[in-house]
Amino acid sequence: QVQLVESGGGLVQPGGSLRLSCVASGSFVSINTMGWYRQAPGKQRELVARISSGGNTNYSDSVKGRFTISRDSAKNMVSLQMNSLKAEDTAVYYCNQERRTRTYWGQGTQVTVSS
């Protein structure tokens, strides 16, 4: 059925940038709400950014102005451009797809921001 695969995580210095990608199979990113969440050790998973099928976006207050979520329907992919990264952005980042009946999750990709 639906499968989401994240990529692009890694180690980056504070102030640097990374771009995360999420490729979907068994569904289309163009007709479903897609999102990025993150979870740091010892903390709950939190919303980072979402984009609806209509193209509307929303971001958590902590990443507004620094992160941008986008969609490439031809590649069936959703991306998260992360700029001006801070140490507190360190977490496992998860791609998700929200559908009427259930929500699907990827397995996550590690982002570490450290000097």
Side-chain angles (χ1 to χ4, degrees), residues 19 29 31 41 44 50 64 73 80 89 94 98-99:
R19 185 178 69 86
V29 300
I31 59 174
Q44 293 185 318
R50 294 171 67 251
K64 286 180 180 177
S73 297
L80 183 69
D89 294 320
Y94 298 89
E98 300 176 14
R99 306 181 77 181

Side-chain angles (χ1 to χ4, degrees), residues 7-41:
S7 63
L11 175 65
V12 64
Q13 294 184 333
S17 299
L18 283 175
R19 185 178 69 86
L20 306 182
S21 297
C22 172
V23 177
S25 61
S27 65
F28 296 99
V29 300
S30 61
I31 59 174
N32 294 284
T33 296
M34 304 295 298
W36 286 96
Y37 289 71
R38 67 186 181 187
Q39 186 168 25

Side-chain angles (χ1 to χ4, degrees), residues 78-95:
V78 171
S79 298
L80 183 69
Q81 179 65 45
M82 309 165 67
N83 298 326
S84 301
L85 284 162
K86 306 174 181 179
E88 51 263 43
D89 294 320
T90 295
V92 176
Y93 284 71
Y94 298 89
C95 176

